[in-house]
Each structure stands twice: as structure tokens, then as C-alpha cells.
Amino acid sequence: MGLATAVLLVVSLAACGSRADGPAATGGRDDAPRRLSDTERYRLAHAEQVLIADCMAGRGLPYRVWLPLSVAESRPVGPVLDDPRWAREHGYGSRIEAKATEAKRENPNLAHLKSLTGARRTAYLDALTGGADAPEMKVTLPTGATITSKLGGCSARAEKRLYGDRRTWFAAEKTASNLTPLYAAKLTRAPAYRAALASWSRCARTHGYTLASPAAARERLRTRIPKLPADARFTAEVRLAVTEARCARESRLRQVALQTEDALRAALPPKIQREIHTHSRLQRAALARARDIVGTT
């Protein structure tokens, strides 16, 4: 299996939460890295929306908390789908994507912005995002890539309320979220990972699919299913997704990939480890603040 397939399989695994509402194992350290649950990710997004709305209200401007998707609908599918129940209801999420697209058109904040012109529109954007004068942050990743961001106004203020110093959070979050290229090739050679992937492929064959990996399943989803009649597309999507999820459970592919990835990340240089632990510490503090803002729902 090539590096490209490995990247497709493991990219964003570190960002994908556990299926439970509680934290993953932390190894005993207060800042030990862990993955957020679906509910925790949703809670952070909700809290940020509430903080933005409060800030805009303080400036005499309208802004509605807007979270059109449920916790389950907001779950990232990830490169390995391993929840058969979710797959049976949502497939790979095509109908959720359609719902999200429609929700963007119905977003009352965008509707309000479109209703503004001239100085009023500029003032609203300045209040919300800082406009053209928003401060810029930049970080060079261990991969050598550089990421920049310009954000100010109430959006930046909400981020600061949740995560503390924005430059520290920006550097830690972008670093921790973009480490896959440093170890993807090693992951593909890990015996446990290769064995789990082979087991997944054998399982898929028992369900009528000749597929080397979940990435190949997604390619099938992209190239073959759209050619089916409209009334058959979602049925085919669900069947493929359920097969991927069942085989992922049977082979423990996602767990093995995550465990292997954790070991590879733990072996990265100390400078990167510091950013990873800083990211976890700030995220943990943000979750505590989010609970104070929106509760535990």
C-alpha cells in the first residue's frame, strides 16, 4: 500500500473523537493528549457561538446562535467508519451534507449580512471578524508548511475566551492537527496495522466488495454510486458504509490505526511533544469553560 493511501486512512484520526461521551485514556498526565468525543466537539462549537452572539449583542448588532446539525449529524465520518448503527442511518453522510448545504442558505446571520450594504456591512464584518485590519497569525509547521490566519472582532474574542492566548492556541492547534505526514509512511509498514488492513479487506470480500482499504471504498462511493438511479444511490451508499463499519469493527482497524499513530506521535521530537501537550491542556481548559457557558447538553 502506498503513502497516499495511508494518508487518506490516518489523516484526521487524531481529531476524531471517541464514540463515548467521556474522555479517552490520558496516561495520567493533566495535559496528556486525548481525543474529543462527539459531544465535546459539539459543546465547544456551541460555546463559541454563544460567546460570539453575546459579544455582538454588546455592540448592538444581531447574531443568532446557529447550530443546524445535531451532535450525531456533526460527527466527522473520518477515514475509517466503524459505527454500523450510524452508517445504517446516515451512510457516509451524503444527506447530512445536503442538509448542511441547505442550512447555509438558511443561516440567519448570513441573511442579515446580505441585507446590509456600504458602511453598515463593513461595520458588521469588522465587529464579527475584524475586517481588513484583523491581526494576522502565522505558524510554520514541523512539515515545513506555513499556515496563516487573520481574525479579529467578536470571533477572535470568543476564541480567546475559550482557549486563552490566541497565538499560543493557534500554534499548538495547527501543529497538533498537521503531524500525519511526519509518520504516515511508518504507519503503513507497522505489522499490526498491515494485518488489520488485510483483515478488513478479507471481511469486505465476504460482503461482496473487492476493496483494499476504506480509502478504496470512498473511491467507489465517489465514482460508481453517483452513476446509479437516484432512488438507488442512498441504498447503495448505506450498504457500502455498513460494510466498511462492520469490517472495521471485526478487524479493529480503527483502533489499531489509532494505537499505532499514538505510538508514532509519542516518538516525535520534544519540541513537537510540547506543542501536542499544550494543545491538549488548552483544549481541556476550553471544555471546562464551555461547560460553564452551555452546560453539558
Side-chain angles (χ1 to χ4, degrees):
M1 181 179 58
L3 175 59
T5 302
V7 172
L8 282 172
L9 181 61
V10 303
V11 70
S12 299
L13 277 174
C16 293
S18 62
R19 296 305 181 221
D21 192 26
T26 62
R29 285 188 54 170
D30 290 341
D31 65 346
R34 69 177 184 86
R35 296 174 179 88
L36 298 186
S37 70
D38 301 323
T39 299
E40 287 173 332
R41 279 192 302 271
Y42 193 86
R43 188 177 298 144
L44 286 172
H46 188 187
E48 191 163 352
Q49 283 284 297
V50 169
L51 289 171
I52 291 172
D54 288 348
C55 176
M56 293 292 280
R59 301 183 184 194
L61 297 170
Y63 186 92
R64 281 178 55 188
V65 172
W66 186 242
L67 292 164
L69 301 180
S70 68
V71 173
E73 290 171 333
S74 299
R75 171 190 297 178
V77 174
V80 180
L81 177 59
D82 69 343
D83 187 337
R85 181 180 298 179
W86 192 94
R88 195 172 295 111
E89 181 174 356
H90 301 292
Y92 283 103
S94 63
R95 291 183 174 177
I96 295 174
E97 291 177 6
K99 180 179 177 179
T101 299
E102 181 63 26
K104 288 180 182 178
R105 290 193 286 265
E106 297 175 352
N107 188 330
N109 303 309
L110 290 179
H112 177 72
L113 178 62
K114 290 178 180 179
S115 73
L116 303 176
T117 58
R120 292 181 64 204
R121 179 183 177 88
T122 300
Y124 189 87
L125 284 173
D126 285 351
L128 182 59
T129 65
D133 295 328
E136 182 178 275
M137 294 184 295
K138 180 184 296 186
V139 61
T140 299
L141 303 176
T143 60
T146 298
I147 297 179
T148 61
S149 172
K150 282 178 66 71
L151 188 67
C154 287
S155 297
R157 183 175 177 181
E159 189 176 86
K160 183 176 181 180
R161 286 279 305 278
L162 277 177
Y163 299 102
D165 182 78
R166 292 187 60 243
R167 293 188 182 277
T168 301
W169 167 248
F170 180 75
E173 197 277 329
K174 296 306 178 187
T175 298
S177 301
N178 290 279
L179 295 176
T180 304
L182 299 180
Y183 53 75
K186 291 182 179 179
L187 187 146
T188 67
R189 296 193 294 268
Y193 170 80
R194 293 175 68 88
L197 191 60
S199 175
W200 183 93
S201 183
R202 288 193 298 271
C203 174
R205 282 198 297 274
T206 68
H207 292 277
Y209 296 101
T210 302
L211 299 167
S213 68
R218 310 304 170 85
E219 181 65 12
R220 184 185 184 97
L221 174 71
R222 187 185 69 82
T223 59
R224 297 194 186 184
I225 289 179
K227 298 176 182 178
L228 297 174
D231 58 353
R233 288 175 195 161
F234 188 67
T235 298
E237 175 187 337
V238 167
R239 179 173 178 267
L240 181 61
V242 169
T243 295
E244 177 180 330
R246 284 175 174 169
C247 290
R249 284 284 179 91
E250 180 179 309
S251 64
R252 298 186 70 253
L253 178 59
R254 184 174 182 272
Q255 292 94 321
V256 170
L258 289 173
Q259 289 165 3
T260 305
E261 183 183 43
D262 285 345
L264 291 169
R265 287 168 71 94
L268 291 171
K271 182 178 179 180
I272 299 176
Q273 293 298 326
R274 286 193 291 272
E275 292 290 356
I276 292 173
H277 285 280
T278 296
H279 174 257
S280 184
R281 174 174 56 81
L282 296 178
Q283 194 174 66
R284 193 184 303 263
L287 282 169
R289 296 182 187 111
R291 282 193 293 270
D292 290 339
I293 294 167
V294 299
T296 57
T297 56

